[in-house]
Amino acid sequence: MSFDTAAIKNNIIAHEKEDFVYTYGTAGFRSNAEVLGSVMYKVAILAALRSKKLNGSTIGVMITASHNPEEDNGVKLVDPRGEMLEQSWEVYATQLANAKDGDSLLNVVEDIVAQYKIDLEIPANVIYAYDTRPSCPHLVKCLEQGLEAAGAKSTNFGLKTTPMLHYLVRCINTAGTNDAYGEPTEEGYYKKLTTAFATAVKGKPRLSTLHVDCANGVGAPKLRELTKFISSDILSVDIVNEDTTTLGQLNKNCGADFVKTNQRAPPSISITAGDRCCSYDGDADRIVFYYVTEDGTFRLLDGDKIAGLAAIFITELVQEAGIDSIKVGVVQTAYANGSSTNYLTKVLNVPVSCVSTGVKHLHHEAEKYDVGVYFEANGHGTVLFSPEALNTIKTAEAKTPAQKQAITQLSALTELINQTVGDAISDMLLVEAILTSRQWSFEEWDQAYTDLPNRLVKVVVSDRHIFKTTNAERQLVEPAGLQAEIDSLVAKYSNGRSFVRASGTEDAVRVYAEAATRAETDDLAFKVAQLVYDRAGGVGARP
């Protein structure tokens, strides 16, 4: 099977909308599914070229739009170790997607081949999977058309969560090496996670049933399958919102994004004091937990809370194991609640880095630590162990039974955590393992610190590109003078903090604000939003 430029040119799928402009961002390509067939064809060609450039390593292609509404879809590439596509290739992904005809498509292909000195004779290997969206079968056909034209050897892994595909890519590429990641099958994924979980909680009483809202997405059938590999005496889950066949149900009034945005449980869940609940998003790569207090108050345990829990537990295990050389760090974005940053740095004495929004920035920064914990507030994140840390844990020799127990638990966590990407199923098991070890309720977890009230407001503007930021997106550089006006507003509020950043997907900016009380927070958020609207070309109704 050769890379056939004539076939690539002649089989091009025309743009569905003449003037539509495509951009490859953090989440790959994502938009209404109706305009994505042409993109799938070109993504297939890019995946083949990427594989050839990396000497025939297997590249992954995932068709999903995560927490977006059902009518949307998207596609992203996964690099050989299960990480996101190397950033320098995003420009070419965008150029390929916007190529309007066969000749312009081949021009971009030739540029990529020349830029990266790609030997087209090297075989290409690509695997792909998709979520439960009704548009997936059509988009898969378009992808396969491109893979065929590009002469790639490909495998359809079928219906998968996004993190499962990341896992499979890493397993395939590390097979037979010293850092083999696992068995490259769905069953291998389930066995790895459940075996590690059972080891991590051994000897501890099981917690009460966890109610899991799967957003009527792919997480539902996959979690149900995973439960076949572990005794209900060790883990008890109740799967809610698992309707993957009725049109229009995906992410509708449920899922992690709904819970985080609305600060309440999905209407389909009847939650009472003592219940333990969590929500995945549509492709199961993010998770948030929540409960209600005795007086009926809703309490959210988001990505910040998960990061704090993981950091304190791993830090203590490292100390108990007597492995002082391993240093644990946490990576956050500007959206992390100020109380969480304070708790990590002042109470736990854990180093914290702040980076720009987007998983690729968090992941890259987390790699700088021996153990890097990163979670966005929305519940997407994971824990990375450096090769040195993994080796230290593997070769550690216990001098006491307590040390032996800590080393065993640490080792189990390195298997339990999906280190390729945020994974709702893996992160759920991580939190359950920690809470089981501690015999903690959600309330006890929540008491570590109290979030400052916060508010996110969207302001529609005529041109989002005029907003330029610095300091991990916490300060505006342009429009000139706007940051000084925001600062003078913030100074009037107790524990006030606010920042403004452009949306990555639409002509709008997001205003984040937090302060000591809910009333102050709302007041600050809307005053900053009004300021942005007045000074920077607001469109439509003033906030």
Side-chain angles (χ1 to χ4, degrees), residues 287-366:
I287 185 170
V288 295
F289 296 80
Y290 46 97
Y291 68 100
V292 295
T293 59
E294 289 292 343
D295 66 1
T297 306
F298 175 85
R299 298 288 301 164
L300 178 71
L301 298 154
D302 62 5
D304 293 343
K305 290 277 189 183
I306 298 169
L309 183 71
I312 188 172
F313 189 66
I314 294 169
T315 300
E316 287 182 3
L317 276 185
V318 165
Q319 288 167 353
E320 287 165 17
I323 312 173
D324 299 334
S325 61
I326 293 180
K327 300 291 177 253
V328 181
V330 176
V331 187
Q332 298 184 324
T333 71
Y335 287 111
N337 196 278
S339 288
S340 73
T341 312
N342 208 31
Y343 169 69
L344 289 164
T345 53
K346 306 271 170 61
V347 181
L348 297 185
N349 295 318
V350 169
V352 174
S353 314
C354 186
V355 296
S356 298
T357 306
V359 175
K360 57 191 170 195
H361 302 302
L362 289 145
H363 195 94
H364 183 65
E365 185 69 22

Side-chain angles (χ1 to χ4, degrees), residues 128-166:
Y128 55 98
Y130 46 86
D131 71 10
T132 57
R133 292 166 192 271
S135 54
C136 283
H138 165 67
L139 297 180
V140 165
K141 283 193 177 116
C142 299
L143 179 79
E144 288 169 343
Q145 195 173 318
L147 289 168
E148 194 173 333
K153 183 185 174 206
S154 63
T155 306
N156 180 354
F157 270 88
L159 186 70
K160 295 282 177 286
T161 68
T162 296
M164 279 181 169
L165 183 81
H166 285 256

Side-chain angles (χ1 to χ4, degrees), residues 70 243-250:
E70 189 171 284
D243 182 358
T244 58
T245 52
T246 307
L247 286 178
Q249 293 307 299
L250 179 67

Side-chain angles (χ1 to χ4, degrees), residues 32-33 43 64 72 94-95 116-117 150 159 164 172 198 218 259-260 347 351 402 407 440 456 499 504 508 523:
N32 187 289
V43 161
T64 180
D72 289 353
T94 300
Q95 287 177 12
Y116 294 105
K117 301 181 174 61
L159 186 70
M164 279 181 169
I172 290 166
V218 64
V259 173
K260 171 78 176 158
V347 181
I407 292 164
W440 271 7
L456 196 58
F499 65 90
D523 195 45

Side-chain angles (χ1 to χ4, degrees), residues 173-320:
N173 286 303
T174 57
T177 68
N178 285 339
D179 63 345
Y181 196 62
E183 187 189 312
T185 63
E186 187 170 320
E187 189 172 305
Y189 169 89
Y190 297 138
K191 283 180 176 171
K192 181 177 182 177
L193 265 55
T194 53
T195 303
F197 182 80
T199 304
V201 301
K202 193 174 180 187
K204 297 285 184 180
R206 193 203 78 193
L207 300 179
S208 64
T209 297
L210 180 67
H211 304 278
V212 187
D213 156 31
C214 290
N216 295 317
V218 64
K222 300 310 179 188
L223 177 57
R224 194 162 288 292
E225 198 59 34
L226 175 132
T227 60
K228 295 176 185 174
F229 291 83
I230 191 161
S231 163
S232 58
D233 294 337
I234 300 174
L235 175 74
S236 173
V237 295
D238 165 42
I239 300 173
V240 192
N241 294 324
E242 56 174 330
D243 182 358
T244 58
T245 52
T246 307
L247 286 178
Q249 293 307 299
L250 179 67
N251 294 319
K252 189 176 179 188
N253 295 329
C254 61
D257 204 50
F258 173 90
V259 173
K260 171 78 176 158
T261 306
N262 294 283
Q263 298 282 315
R264 64 185 174 95
S268 50
I269 293 184
S270 160
I271 178 172
T272 54
D275 288 344
R276 304 181 326 117
C277 302
C278 66
S279 287
Y280 296 178
D281 66 337
D283 66 338
D285 70 351
R286 61 168 80 167
I287 185 170
V288 295
F289 296 80
Y290 46 97
Y291 68 100
V292 295
T293 59
E294 289 292 343
D295 66 1
T297 306
F298 175 85
R299 298 288 301 164
L300 178 71
L301 298 154
D302 62 5
D304 293 343
K305 290 277 189 183
I306 298 169
L309 183 71
I312 188 172
F313 189 66
I314 294 169
T315 300
E316 287 182 3
L317 276 185
V318 165
Q319 288 167 353
E320 287 165 17

Side-chain angles (χ1 to χ4, degrees), residues 15 40 181 248 369 371 386:
H15 279 172
M40 296 295 159
Y181 196 62
Y369 292 104
V371 180
S386 71

